[in-house]
Amino acid sequence: MRPELILRLYPRAWRERYGEELLALIETQWPLGLGAWLDLLRGALVAHLHPLAADRDAARSSKMTARPAIALRLTMWVPLVAVSIAAAMVLIDFWFGRGNDWSAWFSLAMPQSLDLPQVRDVYFNVNGTWVEYFTFKSEELNDLALHLKMLALAFAAALMWAVVARRLTSRNRPL
Amino acid sequence: MTQPTKLSAEALLILVSLAEAPKHGYAIQQDIALVSGRRLGPGTLYGAIARLESGGLIEALSDSGARRPYRLTPPGAKQLGAELESLKSLTRTGMRRLASR
């Protein structure tokens, strides 16, 4: 990859003003390590979110005012909401055991009998009598645990995205 | 009286570097590495330079060229002084509290 291609990631006015200098600096460090690549990508993203006056004017005249920042702000909470909905669906599915009955998702009525994923079991108590009890099937619990673990990871990633997006679009960004 | 814009760590390092003499991007990067042991990536360095220049705290000395030097403007020098005074006060307080433990 040629170093000039990196500059295409930056807004036009930014590139015209600082492109030549940035390129000269990059060439002193070529080939770049992973850290420098990530740094340039972050720099390009920040340059789009906080454009120079010339880029802001160009965006305004083409009716694209602050489009990246607005898009980022709009998408900030989408992953969090999606993961929360998925977590609710997993729990409802486990509880009602109605994963395939889509009409149940839209019904507010409680089911007549709870179709819990349970198995009947018995044990002897201290008096020597049979005691009957119900328990969840272990595979159901394992599935639930696996789904919740995956959702916890997705939730952490969504939260990190929200924090990063909030920081990047902050209006009180220091110089 | 308007509150001066807060400086990021990178911006502060660049201003400190330019307080010595005008420098171009590569020289600023080298000087910061020497003074603070921190090497600013090219994207971070030019991002901060762009913000400082648009905020009027630094200015370019010539109009074109790949090695355009920058210098501190009077408002930049004033804000750097205020920022360093604030850090000095913070350092003094921190050291006093550490010593009294």
Side-chain angles (χ1 to χ4, degrees):
Chain A
M1 187 173 177
R2 296 202 320 272
E4 300 85 42
L5 294 177
I6 300 168
L7 291 182
R8 289 174 183 255
L9 298 172
Y10 285 78
R12 182 184 296 270
W14 200 102
R15 216 162 50 217
E16 283 168 2
R17 172 64 187 81
Y18 299 102
E20 204 181 345
E21 294 173 64
L22 180 61
L23 201 58
L25 184 63
I26 290 170
E27 278 167 356
T28 63
Q29 291 154 28
W30 196 261
L32 298 177
L34 179 65
W37 278 106
L38 293 176
D39 182 72
L40 284 164
L41 287 175
R42 183 178 161 274
L45 181 62
V46 171
H48 279 283
L49 293 171
H50 301 275
L52 296 180
D55 274 322
R56 267 201 306 273
D57 294 344
R60 207 170 285 131
S61 65
S62 62
K63 295 180 180 168
M64 296 192 317
T65 313
R67 201 170 58 172
I70 292 169
L72 197 60
R73 247 172 253 149
L74 285 177
T75 58
M76 196 161 80
W77 301 109
V78 171
L80 268 180
V81 172
V83 173
S84 304
I85 292 173
M89 287 173 79
V90 164
L91 289 171
I92 292 171
D93 181 47
F94 173 76
W95 189 251
F96 289 96
R98 286 181 165 208
N100 297 323
D101 182 7
W102 287 101
S103 64
W105 297 112
F106 304 104
S107 165
L108 292 176
M110 287 293 286
Q112 292 297 313
S113 61
L114 289 179
D115 182 20
L116 293 176
Q118 293 173 333
V119 287
R120 183 173 163 274
D121 209 346
V122 289
Y123 72 95
F124 272 121
N125 72 3
V126 287
N127 302 325
T129 55
W130 287 98
V131 173
E132 204 175 51
Y133 72 101
F134 290 88
T135 183
F136 288 110
K137 292 176 190 169
S138 63
E139 59 266 35
E140 294 282 350
L141 285 177
N142 286 342
D143 276 357
L144 179 68
L146 181 66
H147 287 148
L148 289 180
K149 271 184 219 167
M150 287 165 64
L151 283 168
L153 282 177
F155 191 80
L159 200 62
M160 279 170 67
W161 164 248
V163 170
V164 168
R166 194 181 163 82
R167 274 194 67 180
L168 286 173
T169 56
S170 167
R171 287 175 203 278
N172 299 321
R173 183 182 170 79
L175 280 174
Chain B
M1 188 182 143
T2 55
Q3 190 74 12
T5 313
K6 196 165 163 47
L7 293 175
S8 65
E10 300 86 32
L12 183 64
L13 288 170
I14 292 170
L15 292 183
V16 168
S17 175
L18 294 181
E20 183 193 34
K23 293 183 184 75
H24 53 70
Y26 180 70
I28 295 172
Q29 194 186 42
Q30 296 299 306
D31 185 51
I32 289 173
L34 192 72
V35 170
S36 70
R38 188 175 162 194
R39 192 178 176 84
L40 295 187
T44 302
L45 179 71
Y46 270 95
I49 285 177
R51 290 194 299 275
L52 287 169
E53 194 181 21
S54 68
L57 302 186
I58 63 171
E59 64 187 0
L61 281 178
S62 57
D63 288 341
S64 62
R67 295 206 152 193
R68 193 182 340 223
Y70 293 90
R71 75 172 167 206
L72 211 56
T73 61
K78 190 176 168 193
Q79 184 153 352
L80 176 63
E83 196 80 18
L84 292 177
E85 276 301 327
S86 154
L87 285 175
K88 199 160 80 179
S89 154
L90 181 70
T91 307
R92 242 192 333 257
T93 307
M95 295 304 280
R96 198 176 54 238
R97 288 182 181 176
L98 266 181
S100 66
R101 277 164 66 91

